[in-house]
């Protein structure tokens, strides 16, 4: 279903990591290249939201078939990146049926899981398809019907996508995905995942 763009949120400063997560080595490439290449295998359009350290990240993306946008307010938190991404998607893909939001620091997320989210989604039914870990945690990657775009585009500060899908919990459909939602905020978490 190519009318569901994917937004990769990659604007943060990675303060606890002590260096830009986006540029950390992951296999033979940087983390952001790894993430973008996974997203591209779905066949969906990919939009990357950049902010901190963008001048060092853009050269890694310039040869990839993606679009990127700058979040000038990235220091105010993830909500501003979601809002920037949604507004950009609405300009680029005005006829899209929904949007899939993913994070830079979940390197274990697979093409299979992303495809399952989009294959489960039924447009125009107010659906929100969330990922659920084996421990019961629910969150990103998450797919929103376009009826939520207005609210997503108004997020600010540290409000994330969870703010919206908790409010509309009756429309949430959770897709199980085992232990692939592990994220990494510290060097210890990064090393643990990289050596997994």
């Amino acid at each position: 279903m190519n009318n569901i763009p994917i937004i990769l949120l990659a604007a943060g400063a990675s303060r606890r990591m002590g260096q830009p997560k986006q540029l950390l080595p992951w296999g033979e490439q940087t983390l952001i290249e790894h993430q973008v290449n996974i997203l591209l295998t779905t066949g969906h359009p990919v939009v990357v939201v950049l902010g901190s350290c963008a001048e060092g990240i853009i050269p890694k993306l310039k040869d990839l078939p993606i679009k990127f946008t700058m979040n000038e307010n990235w220091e105010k938190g993830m909500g501003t990146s979601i809002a920037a991404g949604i507004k950009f998607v609405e300009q680029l893909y005005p006829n899209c049926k929904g949007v899939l939001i993913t994070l830079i620091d979940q390197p274990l997320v697979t093409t299979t899981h992303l495809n399952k989210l989009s294959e489960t989604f039924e447009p125009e039914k107010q659906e929100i398809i969330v990922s659920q870990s084996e421990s019961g945690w629910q969150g990103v990657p998450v797919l929103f019907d376009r009826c939520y775009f207005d609210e997503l585009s108004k997020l600010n500060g540290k409000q994330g996508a969870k703010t919206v899908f908790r409010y509309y919990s009756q429309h949430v459909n959770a897709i199980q995905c085992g232990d692939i939602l592990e994220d990494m905020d510290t060097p210890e978490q990064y090393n643990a995942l990289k050596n997994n």
Side-chain angles (χ1 to χ4, degrees):
M1 210 185 277
N2 287 333
N3 52 3
I4 303 174
I6 302 177
I7 296 174
L8 174 63
L9 302 176
S14 316
R15 288 187 181 89
R16 283 191 283 167
M17 188 67 70
Q19 59 182 306
K21 288 181 198 176
Q22 302 93 326
L23 298 175
L24 288 169
W26 194 269
E28 300 292 312
Q29 51 199 338
T30 61
L31 181 61
I32 195 160
E33 289 171 289
H34 164 78
Q35 294 289 62
V36 166
N37 282 314
I38 290 289
L39 300 181
L40 287 171
T41 62
T42 66
H44 296 274
V46 175
V47 167
V48 179
V49 181
L50 297 176
S52 177
C53 305
E55 67 285 346
I57 298 166
I58 290 171
K60 301 290 184 187
L61 303 177
K62 64 180 174 49
D63 294 328
L64 294 168
I66 63 164
K67 306 285 186 186
F68 61 85
T69 187
M70 297 298 300
N71 173 18
E72 304 297 341
N73 299 310
W74 63 267
E75 290 182 86
K76 294 181 179 175
M78 186 187 293
T80 64
S81 288
I82 294 172
I86 292 292
K87 290 170 186 171
F88 191 60
V89 159
E90 287 189 288
Q91 290 174 10
L92 286 180
Y93 309 105
N95 298 317
C96 68
K97 300 294 187 184
V99 70
L100 179 53
I101 298 173
T102 66
L103 298 179
I104 186 67
D105 60 359
Q106 289 180 319
L108 305 185
V109 169
T110 62
T111 307
T112 301
H113 178 61
L114 295 169
N115 285 340
K116 193 167 183 183
L117 294 175
S118 59
E119 287 161 6
T120 302
F121 176 65
E122 294 184 64
E124 300 175 7
K125 292 193 174 179
Q126 301 181 305
E127 280 192 321
I128 303 172
I129 315 289
V130 303
S131 302
Q132 181 166 311
S133 71
E134 54 192 2
S135 66
W137 181 90
Q138 292 184 347
V140 286
V142 56
L143 198 163
F144 286 95
D145 187 278
R146 72 168 298 123
C147 70
Y148 301 101
F149 281 14
D150 186 55
E151 283 170 83
L152 292 167
S153 70
K154 291 175 182 170
L155 290 175
N156 57 57
K158 294 184 175 162
Q159 295 177 306
K162 198 169 275 193
T163 309
V164 177
F165 74 69
R166 278 185 175 157
Y167 189 79
Y168 294 101
S169 57
Q170 71 273 27
H171 295 297
V172 169
N173 182 1
I175 302 297
Q176 304 290 333
C177 59
D179 61 359
I180 66 170
L181 301 182
E182 294 291 327
D183 64 1
M184 48 187 222
D185 291 318
T186 65
E188 293 74 22
Q189 290 171 324
Y190 164 60
N191 287 321
L193 287 184
K194 192 173 67 164
N195 299 322
N196 199 347

